Amino acid sequence: MNIIDQIISNYSNNKSLYIGEKVTMSEHMIQTAMLAEKTNCSSNLVCSSLLHDYGHFILENPDDLVTKNQDGKHEDVGCLFLEKYFIIDVLGPIKYHVKAKKYLARDKNYYKLLSEASKISLKLQGGVMSKEEAKKFETNKFFENSIKLRKFDEIAKKPDLKIKSIKDYKNLLTSKLI
Ligand SMILES: [Fe+2]
């Protein structure tokens, strides 16, 4: 099976809920991509949004024990797998979307709005970013798009929202292959 069909099949078959939320992992990622489209983001960022939690699919797959050794860092696991197939501009915001959360959480108002599950995972991800780390992150090539992705990520958890099918993204996915 080629990678695009593999992705479509994974999204179509996924029934597990996004950690602590009321939508499935695929619904969550499709909602994230739809938010990127709604705000006229680049097609690269729409594709990053669509694939941003792909690492969770891999971590869930018992056949992939080697990748499982990655400390459960889903952003790294996802990128490690996806980098074999997708262009760097799609991968960047995926790699840094957890860092973006740690960056944004320095703002107390942002932190308060995080869901309970998201607050718990923030702790596991090392907590709020230090001032130094934040300054450095601001110079990252993917800083802005990672922050945008993170903000879509945060609200893409609406149950009963009418969403697109993963198949609607087949052309987009194909256009971002290496
Ligand atoms: Fe997410």
Side-chain angles (χ1 to χ4, degrees):
M1 203 192 287
N2 72 40
I3 182 64
I4 302 295
D5 291 337
Q6 196 181 321
I7 288 172
I8 290 176
S9 148
N10 272 339
Y11 279 65
S12 309
N13 296 326
N14 164 247
K15 299 279 178 285
S16 57
L17 290 180
Y18 182 47
I19 312 142
E21 312 289 350
K22 290 190 180 71
V23 290
T24 66
M25 198 66 78
S26 344
E27 286 166 344
H28 165 63
M29 289 194 274
I30 291 171
Q31 284 191 25
T32 310
M34 286 172 68
L35 285 163
E37 287 177 289
K38 214 172 147 187
T39 47
N40 294 318
C41 289
S42 67
S43 56
N44 283 338
L45 189 53
V46 174
C47 194
S48 311
S49 301
L50 183 65
L51 295 171
H52 79 274
D53 278 335
Y54 200 79
H56 282 309
F57 284 155
I58 297 165
L59 289 164
E60 268 177 24
N61 183 352
D63 292 329
D64 228 319
L65 288 172
V66 180
T67 329
K68 234 183 170 177
N69 268 332
Q70 294 284 320
D71 262 0
K73 284 194 160 190
H74 76 282
E75 70 280 22
D76 291 342
V77 172
C79 275
L80 212 59
F81 177 78
L82 295 169
E83 71 183 9
K84 291 180 265 178
Y85 309 101
F86 290 96
I87 58 171
I88 182 79
D89 286 336
V90 165
L91 299 170
I94 300 177
K95 185 164 175 61
Y96 298 112
H97 80 278
V98 171
K99 266 203 168 183
K101 173 180 170 185
K102 288 160 62 84
Y103 177 91
L104 288 165
R106 293 174 312 137
D107 177 349
K108 283 204 177 86
N109 291 323
Y110 175 88
Y111 180 83
K112 268 190 234 158
L113 291 175
L114 290 175
S115 68
E116 274 322 300
S118 202
K119 279 180 188 154
I120 292 167
S121 61
L122 175 66
K123 241 188 205 167
L124 296 171
Q125 288 150 350
V128 177
M129 203 176 250
S130 71
K131 221 178 182 179
E132 267 170 28
E133 215 184 330
K135 246 187 176 172
K136 198 174 155 210
F137 185 42
E138 283 164 4
T139 65
N140 188 303
K141 186 184 168 197
F142 297 109
F143 172 72
E144 273 172 38
N145 275 348
S146 307
I147 297 287
K148 280 188 191 167
L149 167 46
R150 187 68 229 180
K151 289 184 174 170
F152 301 142
D153 187 4
E154 223 58 74
I155 52 172
K157 299 167 180 179
K158 296 204 168 67
D160 308 322
L161 188 79
K162 195 173 180 329
I163 60 164
K164 286 188 174 181
S165 154
I166 183 64
K167 292 185 186 132
D168 296 328
Y169 291 103
K170 186 168 184 173
N171 289 343
L172 173 74
L173 287 164
T174 308
S175 73
K176 301 302 175 191
L177 291 173
I178 295 171

